[in-house]
Amino acid sequence: MSPFSGAVASVAEPSSAVSEASGVFGLTWLLIALPLLGAAVLLLGGRRTNPWGHWLGVLMAAGSFAVAVVLFAGMLGLGEEERSIRQFLFDWVFVGTFEAPVALRLDQLSMTFVLLITGVGTLIHIYSVGYMSHDPDRRRFFGYLNLFVASMLLLVLADNYLLLYVGWEGVGLASYLLIGFWYYKSSAAVAAKKAFVVNRVGDVGLSLAIMLMFVTFGSVTFEGVLDNAAAASDSSLTWIGLALLLGAAGKSAQFPLQSWLLDAMEGPTPVSALIHAATMVTAGVYLIVRSADIFNLSETARTAVIVIGGITLVMGAIIGSAKDDIKKALAGSTMSQIGYMILAAGLGTVGYVFAIFHLVMHGFFKADMFLGAGSVMHGMNDQVNMRRFGLLRTVMVTTWITFGIGWLAILGVPPFSGFFSKDKIIEAAFSVNAVAGWVTLLGAGITAFYMTRLFAMTFHGKKRWTDDVHPHESPWIMMGPVAVLALLSAVAGLALGPTGLFERWLEPVTGFTEPTPPVAPAVISIAALVLVLIGAGIAWVTYARNPVPEVAPAGNLLTRAARADLYGDAVNEAVFMRPGQYLTRWLVWFDNRVVDGAVNGTAATIGGLSGRLRRLQTGFTRSYALSMLGGAALVAAVLVLVRL
Amino acid sequence: MTDFNWLLALFLAPLVGAVAVLLVPKGADKLAKQVGLVVSVVVFALTVAMSLQFVPAEAGDFQFSFAYDWIPAFGVQFAMGLDGIALVLVALSTSLVPVVLLAGWDDVGPESRGSVKGYVALILVLEAAMIGVFAATDVFLFYVFFEAMLIPVYFLIGRYGGARRSYAAVKFLLYSLFGGLLMLAALIGLYVVSGDLLGTGTFDFTQLVGLDIPESTQRWLFLGFFVAFAIKAPLVPFHTWLPDAAAESTPGTAVLLVGVLDKVGTFGMLRYCLELFPEASTWATPVVLVLAVVGIIYGALLAIGQSDLKRLIAYTSVSHFGFIALGIFAMTTRGQSGSTLYMVNHGFSTAALFLIAGFLISRRGSRVIDDFGGVQKVAPVLAGTFLVAGLSSLALPGLSSFVSEFLVLVGTFERYTWAGIIATIGIVLAALYILLMYQRTMTGEAPDEVREKVHDLRGREVLAIAPLLVVIIALGFYPKPVLDVVNPAVDRVMQSVGATDPAPQVGGPVAEGTQQ
């Protein structure tokens, strides 16, 4: 018996009657088409579109949001079991029994994502109009943002795994382009490439998962795979689950593929908010929850998901506690929070709903805080070192208040949104496995520590500003969207959590089992709050009450390790990069001297031309002919000998 | 119109064009180029007109077929016809020629060793040979075109190439000649065997398919053909001629060489090795799969290690040819349709890569990667097009190569799991070689030399590149026109070789989709 059992005992079998799109749902494709059109115009239109390009970008994102609202209203008008809608657009890849059309699936799960992506996306578009106003390449920026929104929507709306893969890689491309937006900085270009390559390692997982699905089910559509999951063998399901997890780990920066996310902060801050906090990095959670039918049937795969989520949860929190760069501290936090979601998704039907609930809440409060960090940077000449911040509450009141709401939300202080989403994950974790429960509980304490540290170092304590900065509040076009996100961080949890609205909404897609923790939920809530108070208290005393050194002290072993991202990069460098570089260098030599040289050399020997070796370099006809004979004869001989 | 011999007209048009170009008076270089371009566009238009009359449902049969007696004593016929696979490869060839001529407008000038009109004429002759080699339905005729192609390419490299052009040209010629020699021997053997089995010897492909050749004989004949094709494609370890040839030729020649000519190798494996020698093909499969998988990884690692832009692109193709061979010998419809589509897609993406790299190299006057940097700042359009071409080369989902690469992978995986898994690792290496190249050339600070010399794409260059990028994106989302004609032809190959797709573990929705 694995220690992680129990949660899936009573799987509420989700109904999957999918109906073809009609009426208002015929508009589903527009969700993707609008931002895609925006991206095309902005990226192909060139400088002509500079004067109004950013507004077109905003308009397309907002248009997509409007369509989303219309579809949402339409969906609410349908019965709970009729909300799965499929829109077939055209044939795509088909060979024999392999069929992957371009078709979209709108159901409660994708609808949730669509609202999050287009809603938060539109807000961040508006914010960026102000944030990027001095950048000569603002139009290109909006082109990429629109491309991102279109790809992310394709990812969550695809009706089969192969099409999902297109959106999956599309957001990866947008992420690559946006991390490397300031391409003339080498660090940005390197970070962009790193993000893409690490994600490709995850893509190997997703590719293999899709291939395994086809081999197992003869299909790659959601219907063909998920509805037949029960008929597949345990080992197939486990392998599919593990391969999906590898894919999810890449996109969602989970251990051991976490290293790219911290470097990704090289991108402009709105990108960090939209892509590397609120939406793209949560795609792994979507992938796992979407594939619930697979994970429900494989305990091994679920256990692996819990372990990976748990490790990353702790790693991210530790890294976030040691960073002095405000964006990197937030990135560590993002890793950690996604760890929570992944862990929740690994709990099975008891956790899926809460994984998505926390994902949405996190989308609000983390985007709020990232944009707040952007506002701080805007006022501080793009500085990011929190050791040179302090007391900014006096000059950036709106930023301080909105950020403060996000801070309370991530801490899980009632009645802010994080309280409702994180507590539920802790409850669910305890009802499956005690270790998982303790990890999520202690994680809440560390979260309180690093987040309070960040908040105090930035907005409280004493001024530690460099001489050249004159901090000021950001314009309304930036703070307006931030205020909306702060409002959502404050009330969305209360509105959707305790009312049970969110559970009831998602249950038909993901299934739902009530958590059964060994102690009363109230006890867990109080324990979590106590830990949060302790964590926050320590941080407040250290970073708000006491002076913060302007230069980081040496720190203990753990601090130093955390500053070095827990040596993730060092390991990658030692295990993959250096040996890889030696290998390629050696292979180049091998190919030039041995493979090519063998051809030349054999020829020389056979032809008795050793005295004229030098002439080979300029191409001596006969020797090549002879040398080729050697090579070809060899392969022919192998073919014959091996098989005869 | 139905009596019009489309295929013969298509074959003859570039030859007539070549003669016309040669008739242009000396010194009228521009006119020669204009005539060449017009001819190539006409040939392309002919291809389009012909393709519209192709019947996709019967793409497994040869269409537009004709046959004239050529050497009756040996039963050799001048016979051509197109199945779906040959059609898409002919279309690839004729669509790349105008692009190459337009993009390479200034690559050959008075300072070249050969004349401008000679260059244009050679390309048109090569075009005819490419059409011929894909369209031939007589194995002897195929062999003739297979060898005839070498001549224009030899001169295109040797006369118009870079500093080490003669070394590269001779190396190319000898590798190819050697392969051709083996094929000739096997061809004669095949004729003799067919004489034994049929009474009279024949080179007619349709008669040769399904001949019950004894397996030991098959193996020798297979090897003769296969080695020739493995050199042409090229598979590791026969690949070392390719980086030299591609690096030393003009970008246009490199495009036709790597984009089209090398496909004759993989086309030959699919059409001739598999269909004529089914048992021997099955017998050789394990070894070919190993060569293919090694090629994918080895080519990619070597590409990462290159310091020369054109050699880097050449090595990426070594990796890609590994994928194509893998899909063919996986003996599944997914694998073989994927490989055929791969041949087409690789043609377009490699063409874009070579041509844009060519624009870059001719501006800077160097092929060394470290001489570049920061190009995106000074030439954003050039950098953007290069990125799209690169992303196609690394098979980004949404671009055309993804569809083909994934089909190859899934088609391999469903029969040879181990090969599919190793090949999938190739996608990480592909990301590395492309994005490292992009990072080193296009990002960072631009060195002074780049700032001074590199300017953005001009109208003519954009006009040449844009169609390639449009096709790359369009086929990424709508590969249907190609799949529609390729799938039935692949079904025929599968039938000839006696292979069927493995069945999935779970019954489910599969049964209804099956054609048989």
Side-chain angles (χ1 to χ4, degrees):
Chain A
M1 269 304 272
S2 149
F4 298 93
S5 54
V8 193
S10 58
V11 177
E13 196 53 52
S15 123
S16 54
V18 183
S19 55
E20 290 300 319
S22 58
V24 67
F25 298 104
L27 297 176
T28 308
W29 65 277
L30 264 183
L31 287 170
I32 300 169
L34 287 174
L36 193 62
L37 177 69
V41 171
L42 293 177
L43 295 177
L44 298 176
R47 292 196 192 92
R48 266 157 295 180
T49 59
N50 272 353
W52 43 267
H54 46 287
W55 289 117
L56 179 76
V58 172
L59 188 72
M60 288 302 166
S64 191
F65 178 62
V67 175
V69 170
V70 169
L71 293 175
F72 181 57
M75 192 177 269
L76 288 177
L78 297 173
E80 270 187 11
E81 305 296 326
E82 298 158 4
R83 290 176 178 167
S84 238
I85 293 143
R86 181 173 181 273
Q87 183 175 36
F88 173 87
L89 295 175
F90 52 87
D91 281 328
W92 180 38
V93 183
F94 54 94
V95 177
T97 54
F98 188 99
E99 282 174 30
V102 174
L104 307 178
R105 160 87 65 115
L106 192 68
D107 59 12
Q108 292 94 326
L109 182 59
S110 49
M111 191 75 241
T112 308
F113 273 89
V114 166
L115 287 170
L116 176 74
I117 296 159
T118 55
V120 175
T122 305
L123 291 172
I124 291 177
H125 272 74
I126 296 171
Y127 177 93
S128 304
V129 171
Y131 190 84
M132 300 298 284
S133 58
H134 302 300
D135 198 297
D137 272 337
R138 177 163 67 169
R139 180 223 1 131
R140 187 164 58 90
F141 182 80
F142 276 86
Y144 293 162
L145 273 192
N146 268 204
L147 177 67
F148 169 76
V149 170
S151 305
M152 188 74 201
L153 290 169
L154 180 63
L155 195 167
V156 298
L157 283 168
D159 187 48
N160 62 66
Y161 283 95
L162 199 67
L163 190 62
L164 179 151
Y165 195 175
V166 175
W168 187 266
E169 202 83 344
V171 295
L173 172 66
S175 164
Y176 167 81
L177 294 169
L178 286 162
I179 296 170
F181 184 73
W182 292 311
Y183 56 87
Y184 42 83
K185 281 165 54 186
S186 288
S187 56
V190 171
K193 180 201 66 195
K194 180 177 176 184
F196 196 98
V197 172
V198 175
N199 265 289
R200 271 257 151 159
V201 178
D203 291 348
V204 170
L206 184 57
S207 300
L208 290 175
I210 301 174
M211 293 181 220
L212 276 163
M213 286 172 188
F214 182 69
V215 170
T216 310
F217 302 103
S219 171
V220 296
T221 63
F222 290 159
E223 218 167 355
V225 172
L226 301 176
D227 291 1
N228 294 308
S233 71
D234 287 350
S235 65
S236 298
L237 291 168
T238 299
W239 282 116
I240 293 174
L242 293 177
L244 286 171
L245 174 61
L246 179 60
K251 194 65 62 194
S252 292
Q254 298 293 291
F255 177 80
L257 301 179
Q258 80 288 353
S259 64
W260 64 270
L261 183 62
L262 290 152
D263 295 10
M265 297 299 121
E266 288 284 344
T269 307
V271 172
S272 313
L274 177 60
I275 301 185
H276 304 119
T279 55
M280 182 191 84
V281 283
T282 60
V285 183
Y286 170 78
L287 184 68
I288 292 173
V289 174
R290 175 56 84 190
S291 313
D293 292 302
I294 305 273
F295 286 94
N296 285 343
L297 294 167
S298 170
E299 198 181 306
T300 316
R302 279 204 312 281
T303 308
V305 173
I306 293 175
V307 169
I308 294 297
I311 291 176
T312 316
L313 184 170
V314 176
M315 271 184 84
I318 292 175
I319 292 173
S321 302
K323 292 286 179 187
D324 293 330
D325 176 327
I326 187 170
K327 287 184 71 182
K328 296 216 168 174
L330 283 171
S333 161
T334 302
M335 258 172 76
S336 175
Q337 294 297 311
I338 299 169
Y340 269 101
M341 301 168 209
I342 294 277
L343 186 145
L347 299 172
T349 47
V350 74
Y352 297 133
V353 167
F354 302 132
I356 301 297
F357 188 40
H358 192 56
L359 188 157
V360 176
M361 297 305 122
H362 175 260
F364 296 151
F365 62 68
K366 188 53 73 60
D368 168 33
M369 287 190 286
F370 254 118
L371 295 184
S375 168
V376 169
M377 289 165 63
H378 201 69
M380 298 289 281
N381 290 356
D382 284 329
Q383 291 188 22
V384 289
N385 185 0
M386 296 189 292
R387 294 195 178 272
R388 305 311 300 262
F389 290 173
L391 206 64
L392 287 174
R393 72 186 156 86
T394 52
V395 282
M396 306 178 81
V397 179
T398 317
T399 307
W400 173 58
I401 294 172
T402 50
F403 203 108
I405 294 172
W407 169 64
L408 292 169
I410 193 173
L411 255 55
V413 175
F416 296 94
S417 58
F419 170 74
F420 300 101
S421 56
K422 196 190 286 176
D423 254 31
K424 281 294 184 185
I425 292 181
I426 300 174
E427 256 180 57
F430 268 112
S431 60
V432 171
N433 176 279
V435 177
W438 280 106
V439 167
T440 53
L441 191 61
L442 292 173
I446 314 179
T447 306
F449 172 79
Y450 70 70
M451 224 51 232
T452 307
R453 173 180 179 269
L454 188 156
F455 188 64
M457 279 175 96
T458 305
F459 293 102
H460 294 269
K462 298 233 158 49
K463 276 187 212 177
R464 299 179 300 277
W465 308 345
T466 50
D467 299 333
D468 53 336
V469 297
H470 310 281
H472 53 85
E473 187 55 281
S474 301
W476 66 267
I477 195 161
M478 288 167 64
M479 294 324 289
V482 178
V484 176
L485 287 166
L487 183 70
L488 288 167
S489 310
V491 303
L494 182 63
L496 299 174
T499 53
L501 282 177
F502 201 83
E503 288 156 28
R504 280 207 303 279
W505 165 251
L506 269 190
E507 190 190 337
V509 184
T510 60
F512 177 61
T513 324
E514 198 61 55
T516 48
V519 292
V523 176
I524 292 179
S525 289
I526 291 166
L529 273 176
V530 169
L531 276 169
V532 163
L533 278 178
I534 295 173
I538 295 174
W540 191 264
V541 171
T542 320
Y543 297 99
R545 294 268 170 243
N546 288 311
V548 175
E550 288 181 4
V551 177
N556 60 26
L557 209 62
L558 182 65
T559 312
R560 287 205 297 272
R563 278 188 197 138
D565 304 348
L566 298 178
Y567 303 117
D569 283 333
V571 170
N572 285 344
E573 218 164 276
V575 178
F576 299 108
M577 256 177 69
R578 291 260 181 67
Q581 282 166 350
Y582 286 125
L583 177 67
T584 52
R585 239 175 272 160
W586 181 78
L587 279 178
V588 169
W589 174 86
F590 177 81
D591 201 54
N592 288 340
R593 300 287 154 206
V594 182
V595 180
D596 203 24
V599 168
N600 293 353
T602 327
T605 320
I606 294 173
L609 296 166
S610 46
R612 301 190 206 170
L613 258 176
R614 229 171 341 123
R615 294 189 60 181
L616 288 173
Q617 302 304 320
T618 52
F620 195 75
T621 314
R622 220 177 336 155
S623 52
Y624 280 121
L626 287 164
S627 66
M628 271 316 300
L629 208 98
L634 199 72
V635 170
V638 169
L639 273 167
V640 174
L641 290 177
V642 169
R643 303 295 299 180
L644 281 179
Chain B
M1 287 295 271
T2 44
D3 290 340
F4 184 67
N5 193 336
W6 285 98
L7 195 49
L8 187 61
L10 189 69
F11 168 71
L12 291 176
L15 287 180
V16 174
V19 174
V21 169
L22 289 176
L23 291 176
V24 168
K26 243 191 186 139
D29 289 350
K30 198 171 170 201
L31 182 63
K33 289 190 276 195
Q34 285 165 340
V35 172
L37 185 61
V38 168
V39 170
S40 67
V41 170
V42 168
V43 173
F44 177 65
L46 263 176
T47 314
V48 172
M50 182 183 75
S51 303
L52 291 176
Q53 300 179 42
F54 190 85
V55 185
E58 292 159 24
D61 304 327
F62 292 105
Q63 304 184 27
F64 313 111
S65 303
F66 67 87
Y68 303 110
D69 278 342
W70 183 19
I71 314 174
F74 296 105
V76 175
Q77 291 189 310
F78 193 91
M80 291 185 176
L82 295 175
D83 65 354
I85 297 169
L87 176 75
V88 295
L89 290 170
V90 166
L92 169 71
S93 317
T94 61
S95 57
L96 284 182
V97 171
V99 169
V100 158
L101 285 174
L102 191 62
W105 201 253
D106 298 327
D107 282 353
V108 175
E111 74 287 350
S112 306
R113 229 176 91 198
S115 69
V116 172
K117 67 179 184 179
Y119 177 80
V120 177
L122 280 172
I123 286 189
L124 291 176
V125 170
L126 178 60
E127 181 172 28
M130 294 187 304
I131 296 170
V133 80
F134 291 126
T137 53
D138 181 287
V139 189
F140 190 85
L141 184 65
F142 169 79
Y143 170 76
V144 169
F145 285 124
F146 188 83
E147 296 289 56
M149 284 188 319
L150 301 181
I151 300 160
V153 176
Y154 175 75
F155 287 111
L156 282 169
I157 301 175
R159 281 237 170 123
Y160 303 90
R164 296 172 73 216
R165 56 180 177 256
S166 44
Y167 168 82
V170 170
K171 196 169 177 182
F172 160 77
L173 188 68
L174 288 171
Y175 267 75
S176 303
L177 276 179
F178 172 73
L181 215 65
L182 288 182
M183 192 164 107
L184 180 64
L187 191 66
I188 295 167
L190 181 64
Y191 178 77
V192 173
V193 172
S194 74
D196 286 350
L197 294 170
L198 292 170
T200 51
T202 181
F203 288 106
D204 181 358
F205 177 75
T206 46
Q207 282 193 56
L208 289 169
V209 172
L211 269 193
D212 196 17
I213 306 172
E215 202 179 330
S216 56
T217 318
Q218 264 195 39
R219 289 180 188 179
W220 288 108
L221 299 180
F222 171 87
L223 284 180
F225 278 83
F226 180 78
V227 173
F229 295 146
I231 292 173
K232 180 76 55 176
L235 295 189
V236 173
F238 303 108
H239 63 282
T240 52
W241 65 267
L242 182 71
D244 286 319
E248 295 303 325
S249 25
T250 61
T253 308
V255 168
L256 295 180
L257 179 67
V258 183
V260 182
L261 249 78
D262 290 354
K263 305 292 161 43
V264 179
T266 44
F267 167 79
M269 291 177 197
L270 188 59
R271 165 79 68 83
Y272 296 100
C273 285
L274 260 55
E275 292 204 68
L276 294 181
F277 317 113
E279 284 90 11
S281 298
T282 317
W283 158 78
T285 294
V287 178
V288 181
L289 291 180
V290 170
L291 287 183
V293 170
V294 168
I296 290 171
I297 304 294
Y298 185 77
L301 287 172
L302 276 162
I304 295 170
Q306 295 305 308
S307 50
D308 176 310
L309 204 49
K310 281 166 101 179
R311 289 182 72 89
L312 193 161
I313 300 170
Y315 273 109
T316 68
S317 291
V318 172
S319 182
H320 290 147
F321 280 110
F323 275 107
I324 300 175
L326 186 67
I328 292 172
F329 279 87
M331 306 284 179
T332 57
T333 52
R334 260 71 69 180
Q336 293 179 353
S337 285
S339 285
T340 309
L341 195 55
Y342 209 128
M343 293 186 221
V344 176
N345 294 335
H346 173 265
F348 289 114
S349 62
T350 305
L353 272 182
F354 266 125
L355 293 179
I356 301 167
F359 297 153
L360 195 58
I361 290 164
S362 67
R363 283 163 166 74
R364 173 65 182 78
S366 167
R367 302 197 311 236
V368 180
I369 294 175
D370 287 343
D371 286 346
F372 294 93
V375 171
Q376 192 175 343
K377 188 93 190 170
V378 286
V381 178
L382 190 154
T385 52
F386 196 57
L387 184 63
V388 177
L391 292 172
S392 172
S393 181
L394 65 76
L396 185 91
L399 300 180
S400 58
S401 340
F402 169 70
V403 177
S404 38
E405 192 164 297
F406 193 83
L407 281 173
V408 166
L409 287 175
V410 77
T412 306
F413 187 87
E414 61 183 311
R415 180 156 283 146
Y416 303 99
T417 313
W418 59 271
I421 292 174
I422 301 175
T424 306
I425 294 169
I427 72 172
V428 179
L429 301 177
L432 261 177
Y433 61 63
I434 291 297
L435 297 184
L436 258 176
M437 169 172 72
Y438 189 82
Q439 179 198 322
R440 289 161 74 189
T441 53
M442 302 294 175
T443 68
E445 290 291 340
D448 289 343
E449 290 245 42
V450 168
R451 230 176 259 281
E452 286 157 21
K453 292 181 180 169
V454 178
H455 52 84
D456 216 339
L457 293 188
R458 300 222 162 86
R460 167 182 61 80
E461 294 166 327
V462 173
L463 199 64
I465 294 302
L468 296 177
L469 301 187
V470 168
V471 170
I472 285 170
I473 294 169
L475 284 183
F477 277 96
Y478 202 66
K480 188 171 156 56
V482 181
L483 284 175
D484 271 341
V485 297
V486 166
N487 285 343
V490 162
D491 287 342
R492 185 202 71 218
V493 176
M494 288 283 286
Q495 223 164 31
S496 302
V497 79
T500 48
D501 289 328
Q505 193 188 95
V506 180
V510 180
E512 57 210 57
T514 317
Q515 300 287 318
Q516 281 80 11

